[in-house]
Amino acid sequence: MGRRQAAASSWPLLVLLCCIAAGRVLVAGGSFSFEDTFELSCADDHFKTSPDVQTWHLYLDKDAGCGFQTKHRYRFGWFGMKMKLVGGDSAGVVTAFYMCSDKGAAPDRDEVDIEFLGNRSGQPYIIQTNVYKGGVGNREMRHSLWFDPTADFHTYSFLWNTHHLVFFVDKVAIRVFKNGEGGETYFPSDKPMYLFSSIWNADDWATRGGLEKTDWTQSPFISSYKDFAADACQWEDPFPSCVATTTEHWWDQYPAWSLSAAQAQDAAWVRRNLVVYDYCTDLQRFPSMPPECSLRDEQ
Ligand SMILES: *[C@@H]1O[C@H](CO)[C@@H](O)[C@H](O)[C@H]1NC(C)=O
């Protein structure tokens, strides 16, 4: 569905460091301060922080969007971000939180996406999720949300281990993508991934299939972030770091291999009430169902 990385420029990180340092406080939010954890991929005038540096804002206008990405890669873990999305008329605007094995668009990349598709004023956002393995995606699901994601911060997170990938909205698992047992599987597990977030213009497809265009008179469009957290295995060469599971890693222990009974109940409620699109039921696109669709729990 097109790349969502903002145009990179070679000097923004320096500018960012200078400006945060020259600003006020250099406080780490938990153990993940912006400057220690991320690299910025836009000019510094499209990125702002709150005075205490705990909240980060990305700006999109007609000239450019903005994004940031972790300095390190991770293989398996739990990754969460609190986000507040562009309010008002956000048609055409996409805010993304995603993992990808590559900083560009390498043709063989693995990628796991959460994308928020903006809408005309007062109309509901849609959250789109997708999974790529070896550069092949086409695993979209779309859900509506049970709250207004522009009114307040909510936590969006990924749980990733060898058994499944779970997309959470606050504590609710909105999607579970399972790894099959051997054989033909479509599950990204080999490549360590960076975490990214970005805001970009996607009015060629995002809102009502591209019918609704971005209203630039409303710009800049601003998405806000705080409290990034990762309980994960940070990748270090050489391979095979992050392969053996150890008992310290809750995200790779037995209880994290499947949903709890309470989580499964919430997930079933989501399936019944909030699914807007599911590639596994799109027979026009997939006359024969992709293999992982059969791994799902009974509906
Ligand atoms: C925007 O709102 C319209 C009307 O409620 C809805 O059909 C559509 O799915 C919404 N979201 C997107 C991303 O188009």
mmCIF file of all heavy atoms in Angstrom, residues 117-119 123-124 126 206-208, ligand 1:
data_model
loop_
_atom_site.group_PDB
_atom_site.id
_atom_site.type_symbol
_atom_site.label_atom_id
_atom_site.label_comp_id
_atom_site.label_asym_id
_atom_site.label_seq_id
_atom_site.Cartn_x
_atom_site.Cartn_y
_atom_site.Cartn_z
ATOM 1 N N LEU A 117 -6.149 5.019 9.492
ATOM 2 C CA LEU A 117 -6.612 5.734 8.314
ATOM 3 C C LEU A 117 -7.546 6.848 8.765
ATOM 4 O O LEU A 117 -8.602 6.592 9.343
ATOM 5 C CB LEU A 117 -7.341 4.778 7.368
ATOM 6 C CG LEU A 117 -6.665 3.417 7.124
ATOM 7 C CD1 LEU A 117 -7.442 2.630 6.074
ATOM 8 C CD2 LEU A 117 -5.206 3.574 6.700
ATOM 9 N N GLY A 118 -7.128 8.067 8.515
ATOM 10 C CA GLY A 118 -7.914 9.227 8.929
ATOM 11 C C GLY A 118 -9.230 9.320 8.177
ATOM 12 O O GLY A 118 -9.506 8.550 7.253
ATOM 13 N N ASN A 119 -10.051 10.278 8.580
ATOM 14 C CA ASN A 119 -11.367 10.401 7.957
ATOM 15 C C ASN A 119 -11.821 11.849 7.968
ATOM 16 O O ASN A 119 -11.210 12.701 8.604
ATOM 17 C CB ASN A 119 -12.387 9.514 8.680
ATOM 18 C CG ASN A 119 -13.368 8.880 7.714
ATOM 19 O OD1 ASN A 119 -13.644 9.430 6.642
ATOM 20 N ND2 ASN A 119 -13.901 7.734 8.082
ATOM 21 N N GLN A 123 -16.164 11.551 11.238
ATOM 22 C CA GLN A 123 -16.374 10.177 10.802
ATOM 23 C C GLN A 123 -15.261 9.295 11.372
ATOM 24 O O GLN A 123 -14.180 9.775 11.659
ATOM 25 C CB GLN A 123 -16.428 10.116 9.278
ATOM 26 C CG GLN A 123 -17.552 11.015 8.781
ATOM 27 C CD GLN A 123 -17.870 10.853 7.316
ATOM 28 O OE1 GLN A 123 -17.110 10.278 6.558
ATOM 29 N NE2 GLN A 123 -19.002 11.378 6.928
ATOM 30 N N PRO A 124 -15.576 8.026 11.545
ATOM 31 C CA PRO A 124 -14.661 7.201 12.345
ATOM 32 C C PRO A 124 -13.359 6.812 11.642
ATOM 33 O O PRO A 124 -13.331 6.590 10.438
ATOM 34 C CB PRO A 124 -15.508 5.947 12.622
ATOM 35 C CG PRO A 124 -16.481 5.889 11.493
ATOM 36 C CD PRO A 124 -16.787 7.311 11.125
ATOM 37 N N ILE A 126 -10.303 4.204 10.882
ATOM 38 C CA ILE A 126 -10.178 2.759 10.731
ATOM 39 C C ILE A 126 -8.743 2.386 11.053
ATOM 40 O O ILE A 126 -7.809 3.127 10.721
ATOM 41 C CB ILE A 126 -10.571 2.329 9.297
ATOM 42 C CG1 ILE A 126 -12.094 2.314 9.183
ATOM 43 C CG2 ILE A 126 -9.991 0.970 8.945
ATOM 44 C CD1 ILE A 126 -12.599 1.939 7.825
ATOM 45 N N ALA A 206 -6.272 5.920 1.165
ATOM 46 C CA ALA A 206 -6.598 5.654 2.572
ATOM 47 C C ALA A 206 -8.063 5.827 2.940
ATOM 48 O O ALA A 206 -8.630 5.009 3.653
ATOM 49 C CB ALA A 206 -5.728 6.530 3.469
ATOM 50 N N THR A 207 -8.678 6.892 2.488
ATOM 51 C CA THR A 207 -10.014 7.192 2.994
ATOM 52 C C THR A 207 -11.053 6.960 1.897
ATOM 53 O O THR A 207 -10.958 7.544 0.829
ATOM 54 C CB THR A 207 -10.072 8.641 3.529
ATOM 55 O OG1 THR A 207 -9.010 8.824 4.470
ATOM 56 C CG2 THR A 207 -11.412 8.911 4.207
ATOM 57 N N ARG A 208 -11.987 6.095 2.225
ATOM 58 C CA ARG A 208 -12.995 5.648 1.259
ATOM 59 C C ARG A 208 -12.333 5.307 -0.077
ATOM 60 O O ARG A 208 -12.750 5.734 -1.148
ATOM 61 C CB ARG A 208 -14.101 6.698 1.097
ATOM 62 C CG ARG A 208 -14.903 6.862 2.407
ATOM 63 C CD ARG A 208 -16.356 7.217 2.175
ATOM 64 N NE ARG A 208 -16.552 8.405 1.401
ATOM 65 C CZ ARG A 208 -17.286 8.463 0.282
ATOM 66 N NH1 ARG A 208 -17.888 7.390 -0.190
ATOM 67 N NH2 ARG A 208 -17.413 9.595 -0.356
HETATM 68 C C1 LIG B 1 -14.758 7.107 6.915
HETATM 69 O O1 LIG B 1 -16.120 7.308 7.166
HETATM 70 C C2 LIG B 1 -16.978 6.663 6.225
HETATM 71 C C3 LIG B 1 -18.394 7.051 6.554
HETATM 72 O O2 LIG B 1 -18.718 6.794 7.891
HETATM 73 C C4 LIG B 1 -16.748 5.163 6.264
HETATM 74 O O3 LIG B 1 -17.514 4.538 5.259
HETATM 75 C C5 LIG B 1 -15.258 4.841 6.078
HETATM 76 O O4 LIG B 1 -15.041 3.466 6.252
HETATM 77 C C6 LIG B 1 -14.429 5.627 7.066
HETATM 78 N N1 LIG B 1 -13.006 5.355 7.028
HETATM 79 C C7 LIG B 1 -12.195 5.329 5.974
HETATM 80 C C8 LIG B 1 -10.781 5.129 6.267
HETATM 81 O O5 LIG B 1 -12.552 5.460 4.816
#
